Amino acid sequence: LTDGDRTVSNTPAIAYYLANKHGLLPESADGHVTTICVIDHLEGFKTPWFTKFFLTSNPEGAREWFDVASATFFKFEDTLAASGGAWFTGEKFTYVDIAVFELLHDIFVRPVTPDYAEDLNAHATLKAFHGAVLTHSPGIKAHLETRPTYPL
């Protein structure tokens, strides 16, 4: 990404840069640490899952991997609860909330993975968080309702 005199490479760095530019980063140092930790964990979770599910066309292998890896993913519920239960940094709706929402939506809500919905149902705080993002961000909700459905 080139923005004026600044060039940023690497997808997470680009997303962080754009979040900063548009006021979607937390204001506190603790909020930044939470953001970096959660984003790093999300990347480590979703890349192997998407690779197994989509690129190798191995949904059974993806499910086996998910059943093992999801125990750590669902610890995000503890992070959310520790911040007060509304937003991950506890301050305001930020980039990290969008990133967690995107993964929750893609794995647990999209029709490409209907059998995963039960996994999210067992985690009331994350399920409520998903709904809160849709309520808080009508633009995200509108986009999801009108976007074409693709496997990725």
Side-chain angles (χ1 to χ4, degrees), residues 13-51:
I14 292 169
Y16 202 85
Y17 173 79
L18 291 172
N20 183 51
K21 185 173 180 169
H22 294 283
L24 289 169
L25 289 181
E27 297 181 17
S28 72
D30 285 346
H32 280 274
V33 170
T34 298
T35 298
I36 292 166
C37 290
V38 171
I39 294 298
D40 185 59
H41 189 82
L42 285 175
E43 289 300 315
F45 181 85
K46 73 180 180 180
T47 302
W49 184 83
F50 276 87
T51 300

Side-chain angles (χ1 to χ4, degrees), residues 35 39 49-50 63 76 79 92 101 125 134 137 140 142 146 148:
T35 298
I39 294 298
W49 184 83
F50 276 87
R63 183 67 211 202
F76 283 140
T79 304
K92 63 179 186 174
F101 170 85
T125 303
L134 292 174
S137 305
I140 291 174
T146 60

Side-chain angles (χ1 to χ4, degrees), residues 67-125:
D67 288 341
V68 171
S70 64
T72 21
F73 176 79
F74 287 124
K75 289 188 189 257
F76 283 140
E77 199 160 44
D78 298 337
T79 304
L80 187 58
S83 72
W87 307 121
F88 272 85
T89 64
E91 301 170 12
K92 63 179 186 174
F93 181 74
T94 64
Y95 158 59
V96 71
D97 299 303
I98 295 169
V100 173
F101 170 85
E102 182 251 344
L103 188 61
L104 284 172
H105 193 81
D106 280 351
I107 292 181
F108 301 107
V109 179
R110 289 180 71 187
V112 75
T113 55
D115 62 317
Y116 286 67
E118 289 181 30
D119 294 282
L120 182 58
N121 288 337
H123 298 276
T125 303

